[in-house]
Amino acid sequence: MKIKSILLGTAAALLLANCKEKTEQTTEMETTVTDTVSSETGHDMNHSDAVSGESPIMASMQKMMEKMHQLEKTGNADYDLAASMKEHHQGAIDMSAAEINSGTDAKLKEMAQKMTEKQQMEIKELEGIMSQSKGGVKNYDDKDQGLGKAMMDNMKSMMKMTEPTGSIDKDFATIMVKHHQDGIMMGQAILKYAKNAKFKSMTEKMITDQNKDIKELESWLAAH
């Protein structure tokens, strides 16, 4: 009995030590992502910084990135990618709302309205993908050099924002170009790592549509 008690005590101690190690590794990984992004971009994940700049477009982007950063990864590629893309789409909707409410250019306001309608429809499709893949098998790891690295690289790219111009219209056009470019980058990861055929098909269409938007926005910027 004494030996059995000693063995049980040793096993419990090892289990606690293992749990502590995993917790520390997870915390370290999360801290590394935030610190890496902050050091490379000069920004931290503080929403008040964007708000203090008095640019609703920048504030919308910062809010989007905070939500994406806070998403809990499940380890299922389809679910995690769909969840990230959903928040990314919501960021575009919020920026479009700022342009519609405060912008002055009729062309951009029209584009913002069309983007809102399109991204709302795509969010419904993404929610369907999330519903189908919720609780699905884990098929990637945050620390791997495949999807895990692609998602981290995408977040780092999103954090590289331009300074506000003082014009809602120019902020909208400039930041939406960057937003779409990051969305396309995420879309490439979906095409490479997602398993759901419908998810890949809608992503291909999204990439085509957003490339078209980018050309229109860049044309507007060149003229203004």
Side-chain angles (χ1 to χ4, degrees), residues 3 9 90 113 121 143 188 203 211:
I3 293 175
Q90 186 59 52
Q113 183 60 45
M121 290 176 61
K143 293 173 285 187
Q188 296 297 341
T203 298
N211 272 320

Side-chain angles (χ1 to χ4, degrees), residues 1-17:
M1 285 294 293
K2 185 175 181 181
I3 293 175
K4 184 177 180 181
S5 297
I6 293 172
L7 290 173
L8 286 173
T10 302
L14 289 172
L15 179 60
L16 287 171

Side-chain angles (χ1 to χ4, degrees), residues 135-154:
V137 62
K138 293 185 178 182
N139 47 29
Y140 86 98
D141 189 288
D142 256 354
K143 293 173 285 187
D144 68 31
Q145 292 301 302
L147 179 54
K149 182 178 184 302
M151 294 178 78
M152 181 183 287
D153 289 345
N154 199 207

Side-chain angles (χ1 to χ4, degrees), residues 51-153:
V51 174
S52 65
E54 298 180 350
S55 168
I57 305 297
M58 300 293 286
S60 295
M61 276 291 284
Q62 189 73 10
K63 178 182 176 183
M64 176 200 77
M65 287 185 289
E66 286 174 359
K67 287 188 175 182
M68 290 182 70
H69 179 70
Q70 291 165 5
L71 286 173
E72 184 176 350
K73 300 295 188 296
T74 68
N76 179 271
D78 287 344
Y79 185 91
D80 291 348
L81 285 166
S84 293
M85 187 61 83
K86 177 184 174 182
E87 291 298 344
H88 197 258
H89 275 23
Q90 186 59 52
I93 291 171
D94 291 345
M95 283 191 287
S96 294
E99 171 61 27
I100 291 168
N101 294 331
S102 305
T104 60
D105 187 88
K107 171 68 174 178
L108 291 183
K109 290 164 80 76
E110 181 183 0
M111 287 190 70
Q113 183 60 45
K114 289 181 179 179
M115 286 180 196
T116 298
E117 294 168 1
K118 189 177 297 182
Q119 306 253 313
Q120 285 175 335
M121 290 176 61
E122 290 178 354
I123 281 178
K124 290 181 180 180
E125 293 183 86
L126 290 166
E127 287 174 341
I129 300 297
M130 291 170 66
S131 179
Q132 292 174 26
S133 54
K134 187 175 182 179
V137 62
K138 293 185 178 182
N139 47 29
Y140 86 98
D141 189 288
D142 256 354
K143 293 173 285 187
D144 68 31
Q145 292 301 302
L147 179 54
K149 182 178 184 302
M151 294 178 78
M152 181 183 287
D153 289 345

